[in-house]
């Protein structure tokens, strides 16, 4: 599972704490036209960060030559201070400071 320390590498503290605060115990919370949270969203988002970090670590260390991480919620649309397009945290940037999730595969043919 990803940690708040990992998330803080690319998202501001106010955004992260506000998102955690509005995570519902039940039902849905609509954040914008595309993005909503249910009671499992916060944990799912942290698990997605952890999975993306594990995959990125494996590629960066040379353990594997590439990786594909299929998660929900995805992370590639998230901005520094707001969720967007179903995304809460920019998973690839949460460890290695990559400019976007798509950069994790930029070196692949």
């Amino acid at each position: 599972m990803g940690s708040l320390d990992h998330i803080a590498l690319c998202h501001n503290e106010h955004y992260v704490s506000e998102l955690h605060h509005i995570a519902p115990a039940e039902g849905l919370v609509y954040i914008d036209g595309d993005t909503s949270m249910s009671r499992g969203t916060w944990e799912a988002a942290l698990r997605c960060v952890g999975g993306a970090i594990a995959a990125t670590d494996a590629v960066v260390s040379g353990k594997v030559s590439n990786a594909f991480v299929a998660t929900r919620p995805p992370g590639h649309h998230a901005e520094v201070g707001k969720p967007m397009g179903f995304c809460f945290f920019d998973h690839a940037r949460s460890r290695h400071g990559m400019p976007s999730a798509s950069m994790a595969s930029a070196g692949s043919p």
Side-chain angles (χ1 to χ4, degrees):
M1 185 160 337
S3 71
L4 296 179
D5 289 338
H6 290 137
I7 294 166
L9 293 172
C10 64
H11 294 285
N12 68 57
E13 183 181 342
H14 175 75
Y15 166 65
V16 176
S17 64
E18 183 65 22
L19 193 62
H20 190 216
H21 176 74
I22 65 169
E26 57 184 60
L28 291 175
V29 171
Y30 292 93
I31 299 170
D32 63 31
D34 293 327
T35 313
S36 62
M37 294 181 82
S38 69
R39 69 184 174 121
T41 300
W42 179 256
E43 181 179 343
L46 292 178
R47 290 185 181 278
C48 292
V49 168
I53 287 171
T56 306
D57 283 351
V59 172
V60 169
S61 72
K63 185 176 181 179
V64 299
S65 61
N66 59 47
F68 178 79
V69 181
T71 61
R72 279 294 192 211
H76 59 289
H77 290 125
E79 294 191 3
V80 172
K82 70 177 188 175
M84 190 165 69
F86 313 104
C87 302
F88 296 95
F89 303 125
D90 191 347
H91 310 320
R93 289 184 55 203
S94 294
R95 172 75 153 212
H96 295 284
M98 295 179 173
S100 71
S102 62
M103 291 305 291
S105 62
S108 301

